[in-house]
Protein backbone atom coordinates (compact mmCIF):
# COMPACT_ATOMS: atom_id res chain seq x y z
CA UNK A 1 0.00 0.00 0.00
CA UNK A 2 1.33 3.39 -0.95
CA UNK A 3 1.52 5.56 2.15
CA UNK A 4 3.32 8.49 0.55
CA UNK A 5 1.04 11.48 0.70
CA UNK A 6 0.54 13.63 -2.35
CA UNK A 7 1.32 17.34 -2.26
CA UNK A 8 -2.43 17.96 -2.43
CA UNK A 9 -3.11 15.73 0.58
CA UNK A 10 -0.33 17.39 2.57
CA UNK A 11 -1.63 20.85 1.77
CA UNK A 12 -5.23 19.90 2.53
CA UNK A 13 -4.20 18.47 5.91
CA UNK A 14 -2.13 21.56 6.65
CA UNK A 15 -5.16 23.74 6.07
CA UNK A 16 -7.47 21.50 8.08
CA UNK A 17 -5.12 22.09 11.02
CA UNK A 18 -4.99 25.82 10.34
CA UNK A 19 -8.77 26.05 10.08
CA UNK A 20 -9.10 24.26 13.41
CA UNK A 21 -6.68 26.86 14.81
CA UNK A 22 -8.88 29.73 13.67
CA UNK A 23 -7.96 30.35 10.05
CA UNK A 24 -10.92 31.93 8.23
CA UNK A 25 -9.37 33.00 4.94
CA UNK A 26 -6.37 32.42 2.75
CA UNK A 27 -5.39 34.08 -0.50
CA UNK A 28 -2.42 33.34 -2.73
CA UNK A 29 -0.37 35.36 -5.15
CA UNK A 30 0.49 32.92 -7.92
CA UNK A 31 2.89 33.74 -10.75
CA UNK A 32 3.13 31.74 -13.94
CA UNK A 33 0.48 29.43 -12.56
CA UNK A 34 -1.18 29.31 -15.95
CA UNK A 35 1.71 27.21 -17.23
CA UNK A 36 2.12 25.18 -14.03
CA UNK A 37 0.15 22.15 -12.94
CA UNK A 38 -1.94 22.34 -9.78
CA UNK A 39 0.42 19.75 -8.26
CA UNK A 40 3.35 22.11 -8.81
CA UNK A 41 1.44 24.89 -7.04
CA UNK A 42 0.63 22.53 -4.13
CA UNK A 43 4.31 21.53 -3.90
CA UNK A 44 5.49 25.14 -3.93
CA UNK A 45 3.02 26.04 -1.20
CA UNK A 46 4.09 23.09 0.92
CA UNK A 47 7.71 24.24 0.42
CA UNK A 48 6.77 27.73 1.56
CA UNK A 49 5.05 26.46 4.72
CA UNK A 50 7.81 23.98 5.51
CA UNK A 51 10.41 26.76 5.19
CA UNK A 52 8.36 28.94 7.50
CA UNK A 53 8.03 26.12 10.04
CA UNK A 54 11.82 25.58 9.91
CA UNK A 55 12.27 29.25 10.74
CA UNK A 56 13.68 30.20 7.34
CA UNK A 57 12.14 33.64 7.41
CA UNK A 58 12.73 37.24 8.37
CA UNK A 59 9.93 39.26 9.92
CA UNK A 60 9.72 42.44 7.87
CA UNK A 61 6.87 44.16 9.64
CA UNK A 62 4.58 43.74 12.63
CA UNK A 63 1.71 46.22 12.62
CA UNK A 64 -0.71 46.28 15.52
CA UNK A 65 -3.79 48.43 15.90
CA UNK A 66 -2.99 51.33 18.16
CA UNK A 67 -4.86 51.41 21.47
CA UNK A 68 -8.02 53.51 21.20
CA UNK B 1 0.69 51.11 4.82
CA UNK B 2 0.51 48.08 7.14
CA UNK B 3 0.23 50.37 10.19
CA UNK B 4 -2.69 52.27 8.65
CA UNK B 5 -4.52 49.06 7.69
CA UNK B 6 -3.92 47.59 11.14
CA UNK B 7 -5.49 50.68 12.69
CA UNK B 8 -8.37 51.07 10.25
CA UNK B 9 -9.41 47.43 10.35
CA UNK B 10 -8.36 46.66 13.93
CA UNK B 11 -6.22 43.79 12.81
CA UNK B 12 -2.76 42.63 13.86
CA UNK B 13 -0.58 42.12 10.77
CA UNK B 14 2.71 40.25 10.58
CA UNK B 15 4.68 40.25 7.33
CA UNK B 16 7.42 37.70 6.70
CA UNK B 17 9.90 37.09 3.90
CA UNK B 18 10.32 33.33 3.64
CA UNK B 19 13.26 31.59 1.98
CA UNK B 20 11.64 28.79 0.03
CA UNK B 21 12.01 27.18 -3.36
CA UNK B 22 9.31 27.27 -6.00
CA UNK B 23 8.43 29.45 -8.94
CA UNK B 24 4.64 29.52 -8.81
CA UNK B 25 3.99 31.09 -5.41
CA UNK B 26 4.92 34.72 -4.86
CA UNK B 27 3.19 35.05 -1.51
CA UNK B 28 0.00 34.63 0.47
CA UNK B 29 -2.11 36.13 3.21
CA UNK B 30 -3.91 34.30 5.98
CA UNK B 31 -6.61 35.83 8.13
CA UNK B 32 -7.59 34.40 11.54
CA UNK B 33 -10.78 34.80 13.50
CA UNK B 34 -8.94 36.50 16.37
CA UNK B 35 -8.31 39.54 14.14
CA UNK B 36 -4.81 38.81 12.97
CA UNK B 37 -3.29 38.31 9.57
CA UNK B 38 -0.07 36.63 8.47
CA UNK B 39 1.52 37.56 5.16
CA UNK B 40 4.29 35.45 3.67
CA UNK B 41 6.32 36.64 0.72
CA UNK B 42 8.80 34.29 -0.95
CA UNK B 43 12.17 35.99 -0.61
CA UNK B 44 13.78 34.87 -3.90
CA UNK B 45 12.15 37.58 -5.96
CA UNK B 46 13.26 40.95 -7.24
CA UNK B 47 12.94 43.94 -4.93
CA UNK B 48 10.08 45.38 -6.96
CA UNK B 49 8.20 42.07 -6.78
CA UNK B 50 8.75 41.79 -3.02
CA UNK B 51 7.23 45.23 -2.64
CA UNK B 52 4.36 44.59 -5.03
CA UNK B 53 3.43 41.22 -3.49
CA UNK B 54 3.39 42.77 -0.01
CA UNK B 55 1.11 45.61 -1.14
CA UNK B 56 -1.22 43.27 -3.03
CA UNK B 57 -1.59 40.93 -0.05
CA UNK B 58 -2.24 43.92 2.24
CA UNK B 59 -4.96 45.01 -0.19
CA UNK B 60 -6.79 41.72 0.45
CA UNK B 61 -7.12 42.69 4.11
CA UNK B 62 -8.78 45.95 3.09
CA UNK B 63 -10.95 44.70 0.27
CA UNK B 64 -12.14 41.19 1.06
CA UNK B 65 -15.55 40.94 2.67
CA UNK B 66 -16.51 38.11 4.97
CA UNK B 67 -18.43 36.53 2.09
CA UNK B 68 -15.13 36.29 0.20
CA UNK B 69 -13.39 34.39 2.95
CA UNK B 70 -12.46 30.74 2.62
CA UNK B 71 -9.87 28.61 4.34
CA UNK B 72 -10.17 25.89 1.71
CA UNK B 73 -6.77 26.25 0.05
CA UNK B 74 -7.36 23.49 -2.50
CA UNK B 75 -10.59 25.03 -3.81
CA UNK B 76 -9.01 28.49 -3.87
CA UNK B 77 -6.05 27.30 -5.93
CA UNK B 78 -8.31 25.40 -8.30
CA UNK B 79 -10.31 28.57 -8.97
CA UNK B 80 -7.18 30.66 -9.40
CA UNK B 81 -5.78 28.21 -11.92
CA UNK B 82 -8.62 29.02 -14.27
CA UNK B 83 -7.37 31.48 -16.82
CA UNK B 84 -9.23 34.68 -16.30
CA UNK B 85 -9.17 38.28 -17.21
CA UNK B 86 -12.16 40.07 -15.85
CA UNK B 87 -11.37 43.27 -17.66
CA UNK B 88 -11.03 41.95 -21.17
CA UNK B 89 -12.91 44.20 -23.53
CA UNK B 90 -13.10 41.69 -26.36
CA UNK B 91 -15.62 39.53 -24.56
CA UNK B 92 -13.51 36.49 -23.83
CA UNK B 93 -12.98 37.16 -20.16
CA UNK B 94 -14.67 35.03 -17.52
CA UNK B 95 -18.38 35.76 -17.68
CA UNK B 96 -19.26 34.72 -14.17
CA UNK B 97 -16.13 35.12 -12.08
CA UNK B 98 -16.11 33.44 -8.71
CA UNK B 99 -15.64 35.51 -5.56
CA UNK B 100 -12.06 34.22 -5.39
CA UNK B 101 -11.36 35.47 -8.89
CA UNK B 102 -12.98 38.83 -8.16
CA UNK B 103 -10.98 39.15 -4.97
CA UNK B 104 -7.70 38.44 -6.78
CA UNK B 105 -8.48 40.89 -9.52
CA UNK B 106 -9.54 43.69 -7.17
CA UNK B 107 -6.47 43.26 -4.97
CA UNK B 108 -4.25 43.34 -8.05
CA UNK B 109 -5.89 46.49 -9.42
CA UNK B 110 -5.79 48.18 -6.01
CA UNK B 111 -2.09 47.39 -5.61
CA UNK B 112 -1.32 48.83 -9.03
CA UNK B 113 -3.39 51.96 -8.31
CA UNK B 114 -1.70 52.50 -4.96
CA UNK B 115 1.82 52.12 -6.30
CA UNK B 116 1.22 53.78 -9.65
CA UNK B 117 -1.46 56.45 -9.23
CA UNK B 118 -3.94 56.81 -12.09
CA UNK B 119 -2.98 60.41 -12.92
CA UNK B 120 0.35 59.15 -14.34
CA UNK B 121 -1.11 56.55 -16.67
CA UNK B 122 -2.26 58.52 -19.72
CA UNK B 123 0.83 60.73 -20.01
CA UNK B 124 3.20 57.82 -19.45
CA UNK B 125 1.37 55.63 -21.95
CA UNK B 126 1.66 58.37 -24.58
CA UNK B 127 5.40 58.65 -23.88
CA UNK B 128 5.85 54.89 -24.22
CA UNK B 129 3.94 54.88 -27.49
CA UNK B 130 6.06 57.73 -28.85
CA UNK B 131 9.26 56.03 -27.74
CA UNK B 132 10.14 58.84 -25.34
CA UNK B 133 10.02 56.58 -22.29
CA UNK B 134 10.26 52.86 -21.64
CA UNK B 135 8.09 50.63 -19.47
CA UNK B 136 11.26 49.66 -17.58
CA UNK B 137 11.99 53.30 -16.71
CA UNK B 138 8.46 53.90 -15.46
CA UNK B 139 8.64 50.69 -13.44
CA UNK B 140 11.90 51.84 -11.89
CA UNK B 141 10.45 55.25 -11.02
CA UNK B 142 7.57 53.62 -9.14
CA UNK B 143 9.48 50.69 -7.68
CA UNK B 144 7.22 48.08 -9.17
CA UNK B 145 7.44 45.33 -11.81
CA UNK B 146 7.14 46.28 -15.47
CA UNK B 147 4.29 43.84 -16.05
CA UNK B 148 2.23 45.77 -13.50
CA UNK B 149 2.77 48.98 -15.46
CA UNK B 150 1.64 47.14 -18.60
CA UNK B 151 -1.40 45.91 -16.69
CA UNK B 152 -2.27 49.52 -15.89
CA UNK B 153 -1.95 50.49 -19.55
CA UNK B 154 -3.89 47.48 -20.82
CA UNK B 155 -6.75 48.00 -18.36
CA UNK B 156 -7.02 51.76 -18.59
CA UNK B 157 -10.81 51.57 -18.86
CA UNK B 158 -10.81 50.20 -15.31
CA UNK B 159 -8.34 52.71 -13.87
CA UNK B 160 -9.97 55.66 -15.65
CA UNK B 161 -13.05 55.12 -13.53
CA UNK B 162 -11.03 55.96 -10.45
CA UNK B 163 -8.80 58.70 -11.81
CA UNK B 164 -9.32 61.86 -9.79
CA UNK B 165 -11.20 60.23 -6.93
Amino acid sequence: MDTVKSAKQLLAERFETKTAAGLVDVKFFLRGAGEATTDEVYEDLNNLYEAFERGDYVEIKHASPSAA
Amino acid sequence: MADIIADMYSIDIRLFEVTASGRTVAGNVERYKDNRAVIMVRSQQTEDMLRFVSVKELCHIMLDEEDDWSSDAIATIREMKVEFDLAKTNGDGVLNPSRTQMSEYLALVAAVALMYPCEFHAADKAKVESGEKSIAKIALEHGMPGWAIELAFNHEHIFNRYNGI
Side-chain angles (χ1 to χ4, degrees):
Chain A
M1 187 179 138
D2 186 6
T3 56
V4 177
K5 289 179 182 173
S6 69
K8 181 180 178 182
Q9 281 176 301
L10 280 172
L11 193 67
E13 287 176 11
R14 194 180 296 279
F15 275 86
E16 280 172 20
T17 305
K18 284 177 173 289
T19 301
L23 180 76
V24 291
D25 185 39
V26 64
K27 296 290 189 319
F28 305 106
F29 192 152
L30 303 182
R31 292 292 293 155
E35 297 86 50
T37 63
T38 46
D39 279 341
E40 192 177 354
V41 176
Y42 300 147
E43 280 171 25
D44 286 352
L45 273 169
N46 282 323
N47 285 340
L48 185 77
Y49 281 107
E50 282 163 16
F52 187 77
E53 286 157 9
R54 280 196 306 271
D56 291 344
Y57 63 77
V58 176
E59 184 163 12
I60 301 299
K61 179 76 181 172
H62 186 181
S64 299
S66 54
Chain B
M1 180 180 174
D3 288 321
I4 293 168
I5 294 170
D7 252 358
M8 283 183 70
Y9 296 89
S10 300
I11 188 165
D12 186 271
I13 302 167
R14 298 183 74 177
L15 173 61
F16 300 92
E17 272 185 27
V18 184
T19 305
S21 60
R23 68 181 178 93
T24 66
V25 179
N28 70 352
V29 55
E30 297 176 349
R31 186 194 297 252
Y32 289 84
K33 63 184 174 190
D34 56 355
N35 284 344
R36 63 189 174 90
V38 176
I39 295 173
M40 289 187 231
V41 180
R42 193 169 56 78
S43 64
Q44 295 97 321
Q45 301 180 83
T46 57
E47 277 297 316
D48 53 12
M49 268 301 287
L50 293 174
R51 190 163 171 257
F52 188 82
V53 174
S54 302
V55 171
K56 185 258 186 188
E57 299 309 293
L58 283 166
C59 284
H60 275 297
I61 298 171
M62 289 192 292
L63 295 170
D64 289 347
E65 302 286 346
E66 204 165 331
D67 286 350
D68 302 320
W69 296 354
S70 169
S71 64
D72 186 341
I74 303 297
T76 299
I77 292 162
R78 200 167 45 235
E79 286 186 28
M80 290 177 68
K81 277 284 294 166
V82 177
E83 287 293 330
F84 76 102
D85 187 341
L86 306 183
K88 274 189 176 173
T89 52
N90 56 3
D92 59 355
V94 170
L95 291 178
N96 295 299
S98 67
R99 294 192 74 94
T100 299
Q101 290 170 328
M102 284 295 291
S103 164
E104 287 306 311
Y105 184 75
L106 288 174
L108 198 59
V109 167
V112 171
L114 277 170
M115 295 177 71
Y116 183 40
C118 300
E119 57 262 35
F120 291 99
H121 296 190
D124 279 348
K125 189 177 183 188
K127 286 177 183 171
V128 169
E129 285 170 355
S130 71
E132 187 185 333
K133 209 170 186 181
S134 67
I135 295 276
K137 184 167 180 2
I138 298 167
L140 195 63
E141 285 171 357
H142 292 274
M144 60 196 292
W147 63 262
I149 302 290
E150 289 181 56
L151 187 144
F153 290 171
N154 294 335
H155 296 76
E156 59 185 341
H157 55 294
I158 298 290
F159 290 99
N160 283 344
R161 290 183 202 165
Y162 304 102
N163 194 5
I165 292 177

